[in-house]
Each structure stands twice: as C-alpha cells, then as structure tokens.
Amino acid sequence: QVQLVDTGGGSVQAGGSLRLSCAASGYTDSAYCIGWFRQTPGSEREGVATIYTGSGDTYYADSVKGRFTVSLDNTKRSLYLQMNNLKPEDTAMYYCAAAFYTDYDCSLFAAPGYWGQGTQVTVSS
C-alpha cells in the first residue's frame, strides 16, 4: 500500500548539482524514517541520507556530508535530496526508502521496509 516514487536522476559532470525527489503515499504515520540509499553493480545498498520526522534529525554518510542535503515537505509528502559538488564516486542507482516500525533507528541505515523503484545518477569526469 505504501508507494514511493523517486525521480530526478540524470547525467551531470563532476562538480555539478542534481536534485532528487520522492513522492510518498499510502501511510498515515507522522513519525517515521525516510531517506535515500544507493547501490552500484556488485555492491550492497548503502545509506546516503535519512531524516526522522519525529525529531527532524538528519543523518548522512561520511562520504556525502557537506555536499548532500535531505529534506521533507511533510504536507506534500515529498522527500528531496539536493546533491552538490557531485563526484564520479557518487554514480549509482539512488532509492527512496521508508521505515515505519517503532524500533527502527534512523541513524543506523538498516534496510527499510519500503522502497522506490530507483533513479540513476551518473557523474562524469
């Protein structure tokens, strides 16, 4: 029933910027964890940036701190990832994801229960 539709991926040159969007629907929870994960071929999905709506706390992977910003428009139920100063190492399939169970720790980047279909980000040098 929960649906996450992520869009906004594309191809950019190193140093450029890109903004990903995720349209979320099918839930009524007001406090939950939602964010972005990414995966490259041959690698496991890894957490990029998450936000816990109950407190507004955000969490970032060390590799993207200072460059990426995650935000949520709770009224529109839209999640965003502003990516600045992109590097070739950021090339990956990016997924919007959400977790609603009470014992989920948003800072641990464990695999959430719901996922978007993914949007490809390619950064060239």
Side-chain angles (χ1 to χ4, degrees), residues 2-4 22-25 27 31-37 49-53 57-59 70-72 74 77-80 95-100 104 106 112 114:
V2 175
Q3 291 186 323
L4 304 172
C22 173
S25 62
Y27 61 92
Y32 55 95
C33 179
I34 189 167
W36 298 91
F37 289 66
T50 58
I51 181 170
Y52 180 65
T53 65
D57 291 343
T58 57
Y59 308 91
V70 63
S71 61
L72 175 69
N74 203 35
R77 287 189 170 181
S78 296
L79 180 75
Y80 305 97
Y95 299 87
C96 176
F100 300 94
Y104 185 91
C106 205
Y114 297 93

PDB file of all heavy atoms in Angstrom, residues 2-4 22-25 27 31-37 49-53 57-59 70-72 74 77-80 95-100 104 106 112 114:
ATOM      1  N   VAL A   2       1.979   1.223   0.736  1.00  0.00           N
ATOM      2  CA  VAL A   2       2.905   2.350   0.724  1.00  0.00           C
ATOM      3  C   VAL A   2       3.587   2.398  -0.639  1.00  0.00           C
ATOM      4  O   VAL A   2       4.066   1.386  -1.146  1.00  0.00           O
ATOM      5  CB  VAL A   2       3.957   2.221   1.835  1.00  0.00           C
ATOM      6  CG1 VAL A   2       4.989   3.343   1.715  1.00  0.00           C
ATOM      7  CG2 VAL A   2       3.301   2.264   3.202  1.00  0.00           C
ATOM      8  N   GLN A   3       3.618   3.578  -1.214  1.00  0.00           N
ATOM      9  CA  GLN A   3       4.253   3.766  -2.507  1.00  0.00           C
ATOM     10  C   GLN A   3       5.250   4.908  -2.447  1.00  0.00           C
ATOM     11  O   GLN A   3       4.954   5.975  -1.907  1.00  0.00           O
ATOM     12  CB  GLN A   3       3.216   4.044  -3.594  1.00  0.00           C
ATOM     13  CG  GLN A   3       2.334   2.852  -3.927  1.00  0.00           C
ATOM     14  CD  GLN A   3       1.421   3.121  -5.104  1.00  0.00           C
ATOM     15  OE1 GLN A   3       0.913   4.231  -5.269  1.00  0.00           O
ATOM     16  NE2 GLN A   3       1.208   2.108  -5.927  1.00  0.00           N
ATOM     17  N   LEU A   4       6.418   4.670  -3.000  1.00  0.00           N
ATOM     18  CA  LEU A   4       7.467   5.667  -3.081  1.00  0.00           C
ATOM     19  C   LEU A   4       7.914   5.748  -4.532  1.00  0.00           C
ATOM     20  O   LEU A   4       8.348   4.752  -5.106  1.00  0.00           O
ATOM     21  CB  LEU A   4       8.651   5.291  -2.183  1.00  0.00           C
ATOM     22  CG  LEU A   4       8.344   5.044  -0.702  1.00  0.00           C
ATOM     23  CD1 LEU A   4       9.584   4.497   0.004  1.00  0.00           C
ATOM     24  CD2 LEU A   4       7.886   6.334  -0.029  1.00  0.00           C
ATOM     25  N   CYS A  22      11.114  12.397  -4.218  1.00  0.00           N
ATOM     26  CA  CYS A  22      10.401  11.168  -3.905  1.00  0.00           C
ATOM     27  C   CYS A  22       8.991  11.517  -3.467  1.00  0.00           C
ATOM     28  O   CYS A  22       8.806  12.227  -2.468  1.00  0.00           O
ATOM     29  CB  CYS A  22      11.129  10.388  -2.806  1.00  0.00           C
ATOM     30  SG  CYS A  22      10.234   8.943  -2.196  1.00  0.00           S
ATOM     31  N   ALA A  23       8.008  11.034  -4.194  1.00  0.00           N
ATOM     32  CA  ALA A  23       6.608  11.227  -3.843  1.00  0.00           C
ATOM     33  C   ALA A  23       6.139  10.032  -3.035  1.00  0.00           C
ATOM     34  O   ALA A  23       6.148   8.906  -3.531  1.00  0.00           O
ATOM     35  CB  ALA A  23       5.772  11.398  -5.103  1.00  0.00           C
ATOM     36  N   ALA A  24       5.758  10.275  -1.783  1.00  0.00           N
ATOM     37  CA  ALA A  24       5.355   9.209  -0.870  1.00  0.00           C
ATOM     38  C   ALA A  24       3.845   9.230  -0.646  1.00  0.00           C
ATOM     39  O   ALA A  24       3.230  10.292  -0.528  1.00  0.00           O
ATOM     40  CB  ALA A  24       6.081   9.346   0.462  1.00  0.00           C
ATOM     41  N   SER A  25       3.251   8.049  -0.553  1.00  0.00           N
ATOM     42  CA  SER A  25       1.819   7.951  -0.326  1.00  0.00           C
ATOM     43  C   SER A  25       1.481   6.609   0.314  1.00  0.00           C
ATOM     44  O   SER A  25       2.315   5.708   0.374  1.00  0.00           O
ATOM     45  CB  SER A  25       1.041   8.115  -1.641  1.00  0.00           C
ATOM     46  OG  SER A  25       1.366   7.076  -2.550  1.00  0.00           O
ATOM     47  N   TYR A  27       0.286   6.015   3.584  1.00  0.00           N
ATOM     48  CA  TYR A  27       0.523   5.861   5.021  1.00  0.00           C
ATOM     49  C   TYR A  27      -0.020   7.062   5.769  1.00  0.00           C
ATOM     50  O   TYR A  27      -0.203   8.133   5.195  1.00  0.00           O
ATOM     51  CB  TYR A  27       2.005   5.668   5.322  1.00  0.00           C
ATOM     52  CG  TYR A  27       2.870   6.838   4.902  1.00  0.00           C
ATOM     53  CD1 TYR A  27       3.154   7.865   5.790  1.00  0.00           C
ATOM     54  CD2 TYR A  27       3.396   6.905   3.620  1.00  0.00           C
ATOM     55  CE1 TYR A  27       3.938   8.943   5.407  1.00  0.00           C
ATOM     56  CE2 TYR A  27       4.175   7.977   3.225  1.00  0.00           C
ATOM     57  CZ  TYR A  27       4.448   8.994   4.126  1.00  0.00           C
ATOM     58  OH  TYR A  27       5.229  10.059   3.742  1.00  0.00           O
ATOM     59  N   ALA A  31       5.400  10.150  12.503  1.00  0.00           N
ATOM     60  CA  ALA A  31       6.789   9.990  12.921  1.00  0.00           C
ATOM     61  C   ALA A  31       7.350   8.720  12.291  1.00  0.00           C
ATOM     62  O   ALA A  31       6.911   7.619  12.614  1.00  0.00           O
ATOM     63  CB  ALA A  31       6.900   9.934  14.440  1.00  0.00           C
ATOM     64  N   TYR A  32       8.311   8.884  11.421  1.00  0.00           N
ATOM     65  CA  TYR A  32       8.881   7.743  10.716  1.00  0.00           C
ATOM     66  C   TYR A  32      10.230   8.141  10.144  1.00  0.00           C
ATOM     67  O   TYR A  32      10.617   9.310  10.171  1.00  0.00           O
ATOM     68  CB  TYR A  32       7.946   7.274   9.601  1.00  0.00           C
ATOM     69  CG  TYR A  32       7.575   8.359   8.615  1.00  0.00           C
ATOM     70  CD1 TYR A  32       8.269   8.521   7.425  1.00  0.00           C
ATOM     71  CD2 TYR A  32       6.520   9.230   8.885  1.00  0.00           C
ATOM     72  CE1 TYR A  32       7.928   9.520   6.522  1.00  0.00           C
ATOM     73  CE2 TYR A  32       6.173  10.236   7.998  1.00  0.00           C
ATOM     74  CZ  TYR A  32       6.882  10.376   6.816  1.00  0.00           C
ATOM     75  OH  TYR A  32       6.539  11.374   5.928  1.00  0.00           O
ATOM     76  N   CYS A  33      10.933   7.162   9.618  1.00  0.00           N
ATOM     77  CA  CYS A  33      12.222   7.400   8.997  1.00  0.00           C
ATOM     78  C   CYS A  33      12.079   7.283   7.487  1.00  0.00           C
ATOM     79  O   CYS A  33      11.511   6.320   6.982  1.00  0.00           O
ATOM     80  CB  CYS A  33      13.257   6.391   9.495  1.00  0.00           C
ATOM     81  SG  CYS A  33      14.894   6.586   8.745  1.00  0.00           S
ATOM     82  N   ILE A  34      12.600   8.256   6.793  1.00  0.00           N
ATOM     83  CA  ILE A  34      12.558   8.223   5.338  1.00  0.00           C
ATOM     84  C   ILE A  34      13.854   8.822   4.812  1.00  0.00           C
ATOM     85  O   ILE A  34      14.409   9.748   5.400  1.00  0.00           O
ATOM     86  CB  ILE A  34      11.323   8.975   4.799  1.00  0.00           C
ATOM     87  CG1 ILE A  34      11.157   8.754   3.298  1.00  0.00           C
ATOM     88  CG2 ILE A  34      11.381  10.463   5.126  1.00  0.00           C
ATOM     89  CD1 ILE A  34       9.797   9.199   2.773  1.00  0.00           C
ATOM     90  N   GLY A  35      14.366   8.277   3.717  1.00  0.00           N
ATOM     91  CA  GLY A  35      15.616   8.802   3.205  1.00  0.00           C
ATOM     92  C   GLY A  35      16.046   8.152   1.912  1.00  0.00           C
ATOM     93  O   GLY A  35      15.229   7.584   1.177  1.00  0.00           O
ATOM     94  N   TRP A  36      17.349   8.241   1.660  1.00  0.00           N
ATOM     95  CA  TRP A  36      17.911   7.801   0.392  1.00  0.00           C
ATOM     96  C   TRP A  36      19.016   6.784   0.589  1.00  0.00           C
ATOM     97  O   TRP A  36      19.877   6.936   1.467  1.00  0.00           O
ATOM     98  CB  TRP A  36      18.471   8.998  -0.382  1.00  0.00           C
ATOM     99  CG  TRP A  36      17.427  10.003  -0.741  1.00  0.00           C
ATOM    100  CD1 TRP A  36      17.049  11.093  -0.020  1.00  0.00           C
ATOM    101  CD2 TRP A  36      16.619  10.000  -1.921  1.00  0.00           C
ATOM    102  NE1 TRP A  36      16.051  11.782  -0.678  1.00  0.00           N
ATOM    103  CE2 TRP A  36      15.768  11.131  -1.850  1.00  0.00           C
ATOM    104  CE3 TRP A  36      16.532   9.163  -3.031  1.00  0.00           C
ATOM    105  CZ2 TRP A  36      14.844  11.440  -2.849  1.00  0.00           C
ATOM    106  CZ3 TRP A  36      15.611   9.461  -4.020  1.00  0.00           C
ATOM    107  CH2 TRP A  36      14.784  10.590  -3.926  1.00  0.00           C
ATOM    108  N   PHE A  37      19.000   5.770  -0.252  1.00  0.00           N
ATOM    109  CA  PHE A  37      20.041   4.760  -0.316  1.00  0.00           C
ATOM    110  C   PHE A  37      20.557   4.711  -1.743  1.00  0.00           C
ATOM    111  O   PHE A  37      19.901   5.184  -2.666  1.00  0.00           O
ATOM    112  CB  PHE A  37      19.499   3.384   0.097  1.00  0.00           C
ATOM    113  CG  PHE A  37      19.186   3.256   1.565  1.00  0.00           C
ATOM    114  CD1 PHE A  37      18.159   3.990   2.145  1.00  0.00           C
ATOM    115  CD2 PHE A  37      19.915   2.391   2.368  1.00  0.00           C
ATOM    116  CE1 PHE A  37      17.872   3.881   3.493  1.00  0.00           C
ATOM    117  CE2 PHE A  37      19.629   2.264   3.723  1.00  0.00           C
ATOM    118  CZ  PHE A  37      18.608   3.013   4.279  1.00  0.00           C
ATOM    119  N   ALA A  49      21.440   9.340   3.079  1.00  0.00           N
ATOM    120  CA  ALA A  49      20.916  10.393   3.937  1.00  0.00           C
ATOM    121  C   ALA A  49      19.503  10.039   4.364  1.00  0.00           C
ATOM    122  O   ALA A  49      18.693   9.634   3.538  1.00  0.00           O
ATOM    123  CB  ALA A  49      20.922  11.738   3.212  1.00  0.00           C
ATOM    124  N   THR A  50      19.217  10.198   5.654  1.00  0.00           N
ATOM    125  CA  THR A  50      17.887   9.910   6.175  1.00  0.00           C
ATOM    126  C   THR A  50      17.425  11.031   7.091  1.00  0.00           C
ATOM    127  O   THR A  50      18.236  11.816   7.595  1.00  0.00           O
ATOM    128  CB  THR A  50      17.849   8.583   6.959  1.00  0.00           C
ATOM    129  OG1 THR A  50      18.788   8.635   8.043  1.00  0.00           O
ATOM    130  CG2 THR A  50      18.192   7.410   6.052  1.00  0.00           C
ATOM    131  N   ILE A  51      16.129  11.084   7.313  1.00  0.00           N
ATOM    132  CA  ILE A  51      15.544  12.047   8.232  1.00  0.00           C
ATOM    133  C   ILE A  51      14.476  11.360   9.060  1.00  0.00           C
ATOM    134  O   ILE A  51      13.674  10.594   8.527  1.00  0.00           O
ATOM    135  CB  ILE A  51      14.972  13.271   7.477  1.00  0.00           C
ATOM    136  CG1 ILE A  51      14.382  14.286   8.461  1.00  0.00           C
ATOM    137  CG2 ILE A  51      13.929  12.853   6.453  1.00  0.00           C
ATOM    138  CD1 ILE A  51      14.029  15.612   7.802  1.00  0.00           C
ATOM    139  N   TYR A  52      14.508  11.598  10.368  1.00  0.00           N
ATOM    140  CA  TYR A  52      13.471  11.085  11.252  1.00  0.00           C
ATOM    141  C   TYR A  52      12.479  12.218  11.498  1.00  0.00           C
ATOM    142  O   TYR A  52      12.808  13.238  12.101  1.00  0.00           O
ATOM    143  CB  TYR A  52      14.054  10.589  12.567  1.00  0.00           C
ATOM    144  CG  TYR A  52      12.995  10.060  13.506  1.00  0.00           C
ATOM    145  CD1 TYR A  52      12.256   8.930  13.170  1.00  0.00           C
ATOM    146  CD2 TYR A  52      12.718  10.689  14.717  1.00  0.00           C
ATOM    147  CE1 TYR A  52      11.264   8.448  14.005  1.00  0.00           C
ATOM    148  CE2 TYR A  52      11.732  10.211  15.555  1.00  0.00           C
ATOM    149  CZ  TYR A  52      11.003   9.086  15.196  1.00  0.00           C
ATOM    150  OH  TYR A  52      10.020   8.611  16.038  1.00  0.00           O
ATOM    151  N   THR A  53      11.256  12.030  11.029  1.00  0.00           N
ATOM    152  CA  THR A  53      10.284  13.113  11.054  1.00  0.00           C
ATOM    153  C   THR A  53       9.823  13.482  12.459  1.00  0.00           C
ATOM    154  O   THR A  53       9.352  14.602  12.677  1.00  0.00           O
ATOM    155  CB  THR A  53       9.057  12.757  10.203  1.00  0.00           C
ATOM    156  OG1 THR A  53       8.367  11.643  10.780  1.00  0.00           O
ATOM    157  CG2 THR A  53       9.463  12.399   8.783  1.00  0.00           C
ATOM    158  N   ASP A  57      15.692  15.187  13.015  1.00  0.00           N
ATOM    159  CA  ASP A  57      17.108  14.838  12.928  1.00  0.00           C
ATOM    160  C   ASP A  57      17.432  14.227  11.570  1.00  0.00           C
ATOM    161  O   ASP A  57      16.669  13.425  11.036  1.00  0.00           O
ATOM    162  CB  ASP A  57      17.493  13.853  14.029  1.00  0.00           C
ATOM    163  CG  ASP A  57      17.468  14.475  15.406  1.00  0.00           C
ATOM    164  OD1 ASP A  57      17.472  15.721  15.499  1.00  0.00           O
ATOM    165  OD2 ASP A  57      17.444  13.720  16.399  1.00  0.00           O
ATOM    166  N   THR A  58      18.575  14.601  11.035  1.00  0.00           N
ATOM    167  CA  THR A  58      19.045  14.061   9.768  1.00  0.00           C
ATOM    168  C   THR A  58      20.361  13.335   9.964  1.00  0.00           C
ATOM    169  O   THR A  58      21.132  13.648  10.874  1.00  0.00           O
ATOM    170  CB  THR A  58      19.222  15.166   8.719  1.00  0.00           C
ATOM    171  OG1 THR A  58      20.125  16.164   9.223  1.00  0.00           O
ATOM    172  CG2 THR A  58      17.890  15.824   8.395  1.00  0.00           C
ATOM    173  N   TYR A  59      20.614  12.374   9.103  1.00  0.00           N
ATOM    174  CA  TYR A  59      21.817  11.556   9.199  1.00  0.00           C
ATOM    175  C   TYR A  59      22.399  11.388   7.805  1.00  0.00           C
ATOM    176  O   TYR A  59      21.670  11.174   6.841  1.00  0.00           O
ATOM    177  CB  TYR A  59      21.489  10.190   9.818  1.00  0.00           C
ATOM    178  CG  TYR A  59      20.749  10.302  11.128  1.00  0.00           C
ATOM    179  CD1 TYR A  59      19.361  10.309  11.165  1.00  0.00           C
ATOM    180  CD2 TYR A  59      21.437  10.433  12.328  1.00  0.00           C
ATOM    181  CE1 TYR A  59      18.679  10.440  12.358  1.00  0.00           C
ATOM    182  CE2 TYR A  59      20.762  10.562  13.527  1.00  0.00           C
ATOM    183  CZ  TYR A  59      19.384  10.566  13.539  1.00  0.00           C
ATOM    184  OH  TYR A  59      18.716  10.699  14.740  1.00  0.00           O
ATOM    185  N   VAL A  70      19.255  16.420   2.751  1.00  0.00           N
ATOM    186  CA  VAL A  70      17.964  15.750   2.662  1.00  0.00           C
ATOM    187  C   VAL A  70      16.908  16.619   3.340  1.00  0.00           C
ATOM    188  O   VAL A  70      17.166  17.228   4.384  1.00  0.00           O
ATOM    189  CB  VAL A  70      18.020  14.344   3.298  1.00  0.00           C
ATOM    190  CG1 VAL A  70      18.328  14.418   4.792  1.00  0.00           C
ATOM    191  CG2 VAL A  70      16.724  13.591   3.054  1.00  0.00           C
ATOM    192  N   SER A  71      15.745  16.707   2.754  1.00  0.00           N
ATOM    193  CA  SER A  71      14.663  17.497   3.317  1.00  0.00           C
ATOM    194  C   SER A  71      13.329  16.844   3.005  1.00  0.00           C
ATOM    195  O   SER A  71      13.222  16.027   2.088  1.00  0.00           O
ATOM    196  CB  SER A  71      14.697  18.935   2.782  1.00  0.00           C
ATOM    197  OG  SER A  71      14.551  18.954   1.377  1.00  0.00           O
ATOM    198  N   LEU A  72      12.308  17.214   3.781  1.00  0.00           N
ATOM    199  CA  LEU A  72      10.987  16.629   3.619  1.00  0.00           C
ATOM    200  C   LEU A  72       9.925  17.701   3.727  1.00  0.00           C
ATOM    201  O   LEU A  72       9.913  18.484   4.680  1.00  0.00           O
ATOM    202  CB  LEU A  72      10.744  15.547   4.678  1.00  0.00           C
ATOM    203  CG  LEU A  72       9.347  14.920   4.710  1.00  0.00           C
ATOM    204  CD1 LEU A  72       9.134  14.059   3.467  1.00  0.00           C
ATOM    205  CD2 LEU A  72       9.144  14.101   5.970  1.00  0.00           C
ATOM    206  N   ASN A  74       6.445  17.651   4.596  1.00  0.00           N
ATOM    207  CA  ASN A  74       5.512  16.694   5.171  1.00  0.00           C
ATOM    208  C   ASN A  74       4.082  16.903   4.682  1.00  0.00           C
ATOM    209  O   ASN A  74       3.293  15.963   4.646  1.00  0.00           O
ATOM    210  CB  ASN A  74       5.559  16.759   6.698  1.00  0.00           C
ATOM    211  CG  ASN A  74       5.084  15.479   7.344  1.00  0.00           C
ATOM    212  OD1 ASN A  74       5.302  14.383   6.823  1.00  0.00           O
ATOM    213  ND2 ASN A  74       4.437  15.600   8.489  1.00  0.00           N
ATOM    214  N   ARG A  77       4.160  15.435   1.348  1.00  0.00           N
ATOM    215  CA  ARG A  77       4.740  14.104   1.436  1.00  0.00           C
ATOM    216  C   ARG A  77       5.728  13.878   0.301  1.00  0.00           C
ATOM    217  O   ARG A  77       5.685  12.858  -0.400  1.00  0.00           O
ATOM    218  CB  ARG A  77       3.653  13.032   1.461  1.00  0.00           C
ATOM    219  CG  ARG A  77       2.901  12.988   2.786  1.00  0.00           C
ATOM    220  CD  ARG A  77       1.979  11.790   2.884  1.00  0.00           C
ATOM    221  NE  ARG A  77       1.459  11.633   4.239  1.00  0.00           N
ATOM    222  CZ  ARG A  77       0.648  10.668   4.628  1.00  0.00           C
ATOM    223  NH1 ARG A  77       0.254   9.746   3.745  1.00  0.00           N
ATOM    224  NH2 ARG A  77       0.230  10.615   5.881  1.00  0.00           N
ATOM    225  N   SER A  78       6.611  14.852   0.160  1.00  0.00           N
ATOM    226  CA  SER A  78       7.659  14.776  -0.841  1.00  0.00           C
ATOM    227  C   SER A  78       9.017  14.865  -0.169  1.00  0.00           C
ATOM    228  O   SER A  78       9.262  15.758   0.639  1.00  0.00           O
ATOM    229  CB  SER A  78       7.510  15.897  -1.873  1.00  0.00           C
ATOM    230  OG  SER A  78       6.305  15.760  -2.603  1.00  0.00           O
ATOM    231  N   LEU A  79       9.886  13.949  -0.504  1.00  0.00           N
ATOM    232  CA  LEU A  79      11.244  13.901   0.009  1.00  0.00           C
ATOM    233  C   LEU A  79      12.198  14.378  -1.074  1.00  0.00           C
ATOM    234  O   LEU A  79      12.006  14.070  -2.253  1.00  0.00           O
ATOM    235  CB  LEU A  79      11.598  12.475   0.427  1.00  0.00           C
ATOM    236  CG  LEU A  79      12.995  12.244   0.989  1.00  0.00           C
ATOM    237  CD1 LEU A  79      13.091  12.786   2.417  1.00  0.00           C
ATOM    238  CD2 LEU A  79      13.339  10.757   0.957  1.00  0.00           C
ATOM    239  N   TYR A  80      13.245  15.093  -0.660  1.00  0.00           N
ATOM    240  CA  TYR A  80      14.197  15.625  -1.622  1.00  0.00           C
ATOM    241  C   TYR A  80      15.622  15.312  -1.186  1.00  0.00           C
ATOM    242  O   TYR A  80      15.913  15.171  -0.003  1.00  0.00           O
ATOM    243  CB  TYR A  80      14.043  17.141  -1.771  1.00  0.00           C
ATOM    244  CG  TYR A  80      12.641  17.570  -2.130  1.00  0.00           C
ATOM    245  CD1 TYR A  80      11.755  18.007  -1.149  1.00  0.00           C
ATOM    246  CD2 TYR A  80      12.199  17.514  -3.448  1.00  0.00           C
ATOM    247  CE1 TYR A  80      10.470  18.385  -1.469  1.00  0.00           C
ATOM    248  CE2 TYR A  80      10.912  17.894  -3.778  1.00  0.00           C
ATOM    249  CZ  TYR A  80      10.053  18.329  -2.785  1.00  0.00           C
ATOM    250  OH  TYR A  80       8.772  18.699  -3.105  1.00  0.00           O
ATOM    251  N   TYR A  95      17.800   5.190  -4.368  1.00  0.00           N
ATOM    252  CA  TYR A  95      16.480   4.712  -3.991  1.00  0.00           C
ATOM    253  C   TYR A  95      15.922   5.517  -2.824  1.00  0.00           C
ATOM    254  O   TYR A  95      16.610   5.740  -1.826  1.00  0.00           O
ATOM    255  CB  TYR A  95      16.525   3.240  -3.571  1.00  0.00           C
ATOM    256  CG  TYR A  95      16.989   2.286  -4.644  1.00  0.00           C
ATOM    257  CD1 TYR A  95      18.338   2.026  -4.833  1.00  0.00           C
ATOM    258  CD2 TYR A  95      16.067   1.636  -5.459  1.00  0.00           C
ATOM    259  CE1 TYR A  95      18.769   1.146  -5.811  1.00  0.00           C
ATOM    260  CE2 TYR A  95      16.483   0.749  -6.439  1.00  0.00           C
ATOM    261  CZ  TYR A  95      17.836   0.511  -6.608  1.00  0.00           C
ATOM    262  OH  TYR A  95      18.255  -0.369  -7.576  1.00  0.00           O
ATOM    263  N   CYS A  96      14.695   5.928  -2.944  1.00  0.00           N
ATOM    264  CA  CYS A  96      13.952   6.465  -1.819  1.00  0.00           C
ATOM    265  C   CYS A  96      13.446   5.295  -0.989  1.00  0.00           C
ATOM    266  O   CYS A  96      12.998   4.287  -1.536  1.00  0.00           O
ATOM    267  CB  CYS A  96      12.788   7.310  -2.331  1.00  0.00           C
ATOM    268  SG  CYS A  96      11.696   7.959  -1.052  1.00  0.00           S
ATOM    269  N   ALA A  97      13.523   5.401   0.340  1.00  0.00           N
ATOM    270  CA  ALA A  97      13.109   4.307   1.210  1.00  0.00           C
ATOM    271  C   ALA A  97      12.510   4.849   2.499  1.00  0.00           C
ATOM    272  O   ALA A  97      12.832   5.955   2.931  1.00  0.00           O
ATOM    273  CB  ALA A  97      14.296   3.395   1.532  1.00  0.00           C
ATOM    274  N   ALA A  98      11.629   4.052   3.123  1.00  0.00           N
ATOM    275  CA  ALA A  98      10.966   4.478   4.350  1.00  0.00           C
ATOM    276  C   ALA A  98      10.750   3.303   5.285  1.00  0.00           C
ATOM    277  O   ALA A  98      10.550   2.176   4.850  1.00  0.00           O
ATOM    278  CB  ALA A  98       9.629   5.148   4.032  1.00  0.00           C
ATOM    279  N   ALA A  99      10.778   3.588   6.597  1.00  0.00           N
ATOM    280  CA  ALA A  99      10.524   2.599   7.637  1.00  0.00           C
ATOM    281  C   ALA A  99       9.562   3.184   8.649  1.00  0.00           C
ATOM    282  O   ALA A  99       9.728   4.331   9.077  1.00  0.00           O
ATOM    283  CB  ALA A  99      11.823   2.182   8.312  1.00  0.00           C
ATOM    284  N   PHE A 100       8.585   2.390   9.068  1.00  0.00           N
ATOM    285  CA  PHE A 100       7.540   2.883   9.955  1.00  0.00           C
ATOM    286  C   PHE A 100       7.470   2.164  11.299  1.00  0.00           C
ATOM    287  O   PHE A 100       6.711   2.590  12.162  1.00  0.00           O
ATOM    288  CB  PHE A 100       6.178   2.784   9.258  1.00  0.00           C
ATOM    289  CG  PHE A 100       6.098   3.585   7.997  1.00  0.00           C
ATOM    290  CD1 PHE A 100       6.373   3.001   6.771  1.00  0.00           C
ATOM    291  CD2 PHE A 100       5.752   4.924   8.028  1.00  0.00           C
ATOM    292  CE1 PHE A 100       6.315   3.744   5.604  1.00  0.00           C
ATOM    293  CE2 PHE A 100       5.688   5.673   6.866  1.00  0.00           C
ATOM    294  CZ  PHE A 100       5.977   5.075   5.648  1.00  0.00           C
ATOM    295  N   TYR A 104      12.881   0.989  14.694  1.00  0.00           N
ATOM    296  CA  TYR A 104      13.842   1.282  13.636  1.00  0.00           C
ATOM    297  C   TYR A 104      14.645   2.523  14.006  1.00  0.00           C
ATOM    298  O   TYR A 104      14.093   3.583  14.288  1.00  0.00           O
ATOM    299  CB  TYR A 104      13.120   1.499  12.305  1.00  0.00           C
ATOM    300  CG  TYR A 104      14.058   1.686  11.143  1.00  0.00           C
ATOM    301  CD1 TYR A 104      14.482   0.596  10.388  1.00  0.00           C
ATOM    302  CD2 TYR A 104      14.527   2.953  10.804  1.00  0.00           C
ATOM    303  CE1 TYR A 104      15.346   0.768   9.322  1.00  0.00           C
ATOM    304  CE2 TYR A 104      15.393   3.126   9.740  1.00  0.00           C
ATOM    305  CZ  TYR A 104      15.799   2.030   8.999  1.00  0.00           C
ATOM    306  OH  TYR A 104      16.652   2.207   7.938  1.00  0.00           O
ATOM    307  N   CYS A 106      16.837   5.385  12.762  1.00  0.00           N
ATOM    308  CA  CYS A 106      17.075   6.082  11.506  1.00  0.00           C
ATOM    309  C   CYS A 106      18.548   6.369  11.250  1.00  0.00           C
ATOM    310  O   CYS A 106      18.935   6.612  10.101  1.00  0.00           O
ATOM    311  CB  CYS A 106      16.273   7.394  11.487  1.00  0.00           C
ATOM    312  SG  CYS A 106      15.855   8.018   9.849  1.00  0.00           S
ATOM    313  N   PRO A 112      15.276  -0.377   5.093  1.00  0.00           N
ATOM    314  CA  PRO A 112      13.876  -0.111   5.427  1.00  0.00           C
ATOM    315  C   PRO A 112      12.935  -1.104   4.753  1.00  0.00           C
ATOM    316  O   PRO A 112      13.351  -1.902   3.918  1.00  0.00           O
ATOM    317  CB  PRO A 112      13.642   1.313   4.898  1.00  0.00           C
ATOM    318  CG  PRO A 112      15.014   1.894   4.720  1.00  0.00           C
ATOM    319  CD  PRO A 112      15.858   0.735   4.312  1.00  0.00           C
ATOM    320  N   TYR A 114      10.181  -0.317   2.858  1.00  0.00           N
ATOM    321  CA  TYR A 114       9.578   0.131   1.613  1.00  0.00           C
ATOM    322  C   TYR A 114      10.590   0.877   0.770  1.00  0.00           C
ATOM    323  O   TYR A 114      11.399   1.654   1.283  1.00  0.00           O
ATOM    324  CB  TYR A 114       8.364   1.021   1.894  1.00  0.00           C
ATOM    325  CG  TYR A 114       7.257   0.295   2.626  1.00  0.00           C
ATOM    326  CD1 TYR A 114       7.184   0.333   4.012  1.00  0.00           C
ATOM    327  CD2 TYR A 114       6.307  -0.441   1.927  1.00  0.00           C
ATOM    328  CE1 TYR A 114       6.190  -0.346   4.692  1.00  0.00           C
ATOM    329  CE2 TYR A 114       5.310  -1.117   2.600  1.00  0.00           C
ATOM    330  CZ  TYR A 114       5.252  -1.067   3.980  1.00  0.00           C
ATOM    331  OH  TYR A 114       4.267  -1.745   4.644  1.00  0.00           O
TER     332      TYR A 114
END
